[in-house]
Amino acid sequence: MQDENKIIIALDMASEEEVMALLRLLDPASCRVKVGKELFTRCGPDLVRRIGGMGFDIFLDLKFHDIPHTVNKAVAAAAELGVWMLTLHAAGGADMLRAARAAIADAEHRPLLVAVTLLTSLGEDDLVVQGIQRSPLEQVQRLASLAQECDMDGVVCSAAEAADLRKLLRKDFLLVTPGIRPQGDPANDQKRIVTPAAAVQAGSDYLVIGRPITRARAPAERLLSIQREISGNG
Ligand code: C5P
């Protein structure tokens, strides 16, 4: 079934105070939040517990990529933290992905496991350097198929790839897309941006949105206007 709560706000902030100032303005019933490497490395699991305690679903974006045993233990630890979704690199291989799935097979709380295919910062030249003679899109398709075979719940991808992947993958396989900008917003450092409505039309299930909301003068109102755009009442 389609989840109406599609927006994941990227908490790309350097301190707990900044995070709390934003979260106090938001309703956990109308958005989810993403904790990435910077915030986690600064503030750690205590902040994750605190945000979870406020009722927010947390996407822990630490992109695990290691030997299967290590990833198995890291995923188990994230499940104990109560996160809603977490990321790992599909390039870690089938055994690593299956070890991640096994980690939560009997867990009380099972986070959604979402694989990163190819980082959008990498292009054709970077693949050649790694000895991969394929286009970035072919590589994304290959790794997304691997993620599906290894029982992941979805992949992170660019919204520009979403329509392609939607055709390739099973219907309920989740597509999580960053690089979203409402019409008229600055691109910042994003190169290929897609509007929220276009991302959903392309088949995206969850939209990761940072600065358009976190830097807005009125973040809650901005969130609401993006939600209206997505549901076609914009
Ligand atoms: O502020 P902005 O909307 O650009 O934030 C997007 C978020 O999504 C950031 O946390 C960024 O690290 C993340 N991300 C991305 N592109 C990817 C993967 C993750 O922008 N390919």
Side-chain angles (χ1 to χ4, degrees), residues 1-219:
M1 213 183 65
Q2 279 278 325
D3 186 344
E4 293 306 315
N5 196 359
K6 286 183 182 306
I7 297 180
I8 303 172
I9 302 180
L11 300 177
D12 294 325
M13 291 136 188
S15 75
E16 181 156 351
E17 291 68 34
E18 281 174 86
V19 169
M20 287 304 146
L22 175 70
L23 294 185
R24 275 193 277 273
L25 304 173
L26 300 170
D27 176 358
S30 48
C31 63
R32 276 140 169 150
V33 296
K34 177 169 92 78
V35 173
K37 283 190 168 122
E38 182 191 2
L39 187 60
F40 189 80
T41 304
R42 281 186 199 282
C43 301
D46 282 348
L47 180 60
V48 172
R49 284 190 204 97
R50 188 170 172 199
I51 297 171
M54 295 166 78
F56 288 95
D57 280 347
I58 299 168
F59 171 18
L60 188 65
D61 185 20
L62 298 182
K63 300 187 178 68
F64 295 140
H65 188 172
D66 213 311
I67 58 171
H69 177 75
T70 301
V71 168
N72 174 280
K73 298 295 175 195
V75 169
E80 281 168 31
L81 264 182
V83 303
W84 163 70
M85 176 184 276
L86 64 85
T87 44
L88 50 168
H89 272 283
D95 287 351
M96 189 203 84
L97 297 175
R98 293 204 170 98
R101 172 56 66 202
I104 54 172
D106 301 319
E108 201 173 302
H109 172 79
R110 285 190 224 164
L112 293 167
L113 302 181
V114 171
V116 173
T117 53
L118 181 67
L119 292 170
T120 46
S121 51
L122 299 177
E124 192 127 28
D125 294 351
D126 299 290
L127 291 181
V128 170
V129 169
Q130 292 179 23
I132 298 168
Q133 312 294 335
R134 248 176 252 123
S135 73
L137 180 62
E138 286 167 333
Q139 182 69 355
V140 166
Q141 289 170 331
R142 204 177 173 105
L143 289 172
S145 299
L146 175 73
Q148 181 171 269
E149 280 159 30
C150 295
D151 205 17
M152 297 295 95
D153 295 294
V155 287
V156 180
C157 65
S158 134
E161 295 154 355
D164 238 24
L165 292 181
R166 194 74 287 163
K167 282 183 238 151
L168 180 74
L169 303 164
R170 60 164 209 267
K171 232 170 112 207
D172 63 346
F173 198 69
L174 300 174
L175 301 182
V176 180
T177 58
I180 306 291
R181 288 293 178 272
Q183 203 83 51
D185 257 54
N188 308 113
D189 52 355
Q190 297 283 6
K191 287 191 185 126
R192 288 184 304 151
I193 53 175
V194 174
T195 65
V200 170
Q201 269 154 27
S204 172
D205 296 284
Y206 294 106
L207 314 183
V208 177
I209 306 180
R211 288 160 288 185
I213 294 174
T214 59
R215 295 200 184 160
R217 253 180 298 128

